[in-house]
Amino acid sequence: ESEAESAEEDGGMQVEPAGPLLSPEELQSESKAKSEASKANGNAHFKAGRWAEAAAQYQLAMAADPSNATFPCNRAAALLHLGKAADALADAQVALVLDPSLLKAHVRAAKAMCQLGRFSEARRQLEGAATLEGAAVGPELAALDGLEALLRNGKAALAR
């Protein structure tokens, strides 16, 4: 039986391989290259202030390599600039599941919590991050102190 006859019996469809089969190592290497290229594109958009484009590129990087904590952490930063605090918090939390020692993810989670008005949670996040080796979150804690003072003053003014 020829290939054409066999294809006719299968409804006329003949499936050809798209290309040479890749080994698992080659597939992993290809995915890593795609993820790093998307990250580089995202970084370029981020530096140019194109937050939505940066977030989209970081999403592509996340899809190509879901085990890399840097990609959701970077997307969290872009989402914070877009005012999408809840989404940014979710991404920062994904990054922290992947790498609990990633200081930037702790800081981005805290910033998202602040944008959501969750100052106590933000303080706990930063205080937890402060225990990491080499962590310096003093400026973030000082900014949070300032936000909390503004909130107290605003509440006091409203009570008068």
Side-chain angles (χ1 to χ4, degrees):
E1 176 176 280
S2 72
E3 283 184 36
E5 289 169 340
S6 176
E8 283 178 26
E9 290 172 11
D10 293 338
M13 300 204 41
Q14 201 168 2
V15 178
E16 294 291 323
L21 295 177
L22 299 177
S23 71
E25 294 80 16
E26 290 169 321
L27 284 172
Q28 186 176 15
S29 177
E30 190 174 289
S31 286
K32 182 164 177 52
K34 284 181 184 177
S35 67
E36 290 298 329
S38 294
K39 177 188 169 196
N41 289 336
N43 290 347
H45 285 299
F46 192 93
K47 287 177 183 151
R50 295 186 297 269
W51 318 121
E53 292 86 348
Q57 288 297 311
Y58 296 137
Q59 172 64 38
L60 292 174
M62 291 165 65
D65 183 1
S67 66
N68 189 321
T70 300
F71 305 148
C73 186
N74 285 2
R75 189 171 74 165
L79 292 170
L80 283 168
H81 282 283
L82 292 169
K84 296 183 177 186
D87 292 334
L89 178 56
D91 276 359
Q93 289 171 332
V94 166
L96 288 169
V97 166
L98 294 170
D99 182 359
S101 69
L102 188 58
L103 181 61
K104 284 182 179 181
H106 285 279
V107 170
R108 289 177 186 154
K111 286 181 179 182
M113 290 171 188
C114 286
Q115 284 187 13
L116 294 167
R118 295 159 52 181
F119 300 119
S120 297
E121 289 176 66
R123 179 170 297 285
R124 281 192 297 277
Q125 185 75 45
L126 291 173
E127 288 171 349
T131 66
L132 297 172
E133 186 176 329
V137 293
E140 288 82 6
L141 283 168
L144 182 55
D145 288 341
L147 285 173
E148 289 172 330
L150 286 171
L151 182 62
R152 278 191 307 278
N153 292 341
K155 285 181 179 179
L158 288 172
R160 285 187 239 141

